[in-house]
Amino acid sequence: MKRTLGGWNFYEIAWLGLFSAVAIVLTVVMKDTFFGFTVFLTGVLCVVLAAKGNLMTYVFGMYNTFGYAYLAYVNGLFGEVALNLLFFVPMNAVGFFLWKKHRRGDKLAMRQLNGRSAALIAAVCVFGSAALGFGLSFVEAQNSPYIDALTTVLSVAATFLMVRRFKEQWLVYIVLNVFTVILWVIRTAEGSPDGMLMIVMWSAYLINAVYGYYNWNKGVKEAAAA
């Protein structure tokens, strides 16, 4: 793809502009909060920059982490709250320094898992989700405990893969984003005022995850050939 504006290609610029415009329209039409809009926008910036291997993903990610934790709290998604505050906040800092350390010029050195490691991660995600979902089902105010548990466990796995620079993070993110969209569809049907904007945000993440896998797969091949 032809590069423009300091390393951004036409697809990335168009993608970012499209979903930012959708967020503005939804914020106005549905009378959503400006805060919800900022969470959406920083989330989009975060994932686009991650797909490019750009360090600034962790800067925007920190704001998005705190903002999304608040929205999850008011919607009774306590697994998401704990995940963001207790895991993503410190991992944003760790990821920034690890990505900064493992660069070749202006590019991130990307890697891929072997088959055994991939199978182990998949097994941990399945059993971890089942166990956490069972625990969350006993929390009185908890909504959708097993879906919340699945998205929580997948988020942890994807983040570890991300900070360690493995391209398989994007396969995990694809599954994660599908189930998170389902989670917010349920919350929207039950009256959440921020639900529609979150559906659009996570749908944008899903599209970006597909592009991220394509981009990182290419990056792994380039690293192997270097």
Side-chain angles (χ1 to χ4, degrees):
M1 291 183 181
K2 186 178 179 180
R3 295 285 169 176
T4 63
L5 298 179
W8 289 76
N9 62 49
F10 288 116
Y11 165 80
E12 293 161 345
I13 295 171
W15 184 94
L16 184 60
L18 171 64
F19 281 98
S20 296
V22 170
I24 293 171
V25 171
L26 284 176
T27 299
V28 173
V29 172
M30 302 194 68
K31 299 180 180 179
D32 199 355
T33 62
F34 177 74
F35 176 70
F37 169 73
T38 64
V39 173
F40 176 97
L41 188 59
T42 54
V44 169
L45 286 168
C46 178
V47 296
V48 170
L49 291 168
K52 291 170 62 61
N54 191 305
L55 276 174
M56 287 299 291
T57 184
Y58 290 108
V59 177
F60 289 107
M62 189 65 81
Y63 177 90
N64 181 261
T65 296
F66 281 111
Y68 185 74
Y70 174 78
L71 292 179
Y73 174 78
V74 299
N75 280 279
L77 302 174
F78 303 116
E80 294 280 282
V81 175
L83 171 69
N84 278 267
L85 295 183
L86 302 180
F87 181 71
F88 282 147
V89 168
M91 289 303 286
N92 273 329
V94 171
F96 180 88
F97 289 108
L98 286 180
W99 277 30
K100 186 176 182 181
K101 179 180 179 181
H102 295 96
R103 302 187 74 80
R104 294 173 181 171
D106 62 343
K107 291 186 177 181
L108 182 68
M110 301 171 182
R111 305 191 290 169
Q112 75 176 44
L113 291 171
N114 57 44
R116 183 177 180 180
S117 296
L120 176 61
I121 290 171
V124 169
C125 287
V126 170
F127 289 108
S129 297
L132 179 59
F134 181 73
L136 288 175
S137 67
F138 291 98
V139 179
E140 185 176 353
Q142 172 69 40
N143 293 306
S144 307
Y146 285 96
I147 299 179
D148 194 10
L150 177 63
T151 58
T152 298
V153 171
L154 290 178
S155 293
V156 171
T159 301
F160 272 118
L161 292 173
M162 180 178 175
V163 299
R164 296 300 304 275
R165 299 170 287 112
F166 288 111
K167 72 173 186 179
E168 287 78 8
Q169 64 170 295
W170 296 108
L171 297 178
V172 178
Y173 276 127
I174 289 171
V175 178
L176 163 65
N177 294 336
V178 167
F179 279 97
T180 307
V181 168
I182 293 172
L183 184 67
W184 281 105
V185 166
I186 294 171
R187 295 303 305 130
T188 300
E190 294 177 351
S192 171
D194 296 299
M196 186 58 68
L197 199 57
M198 291 299 101
I199 290 171
V200 175
M201 183 180 80
W202 285 97
S203 296
Y205 289 178
L206 176 58
I207 294 171
N208 187 78
V210 175
Y211 175 70
Y213 183 76
Y214 162 80
N215 208 37
W216 279 57
N217 190 53
K218 185 171 64 174
V220 168
K221 291 178 180 178
E222 291 174 353

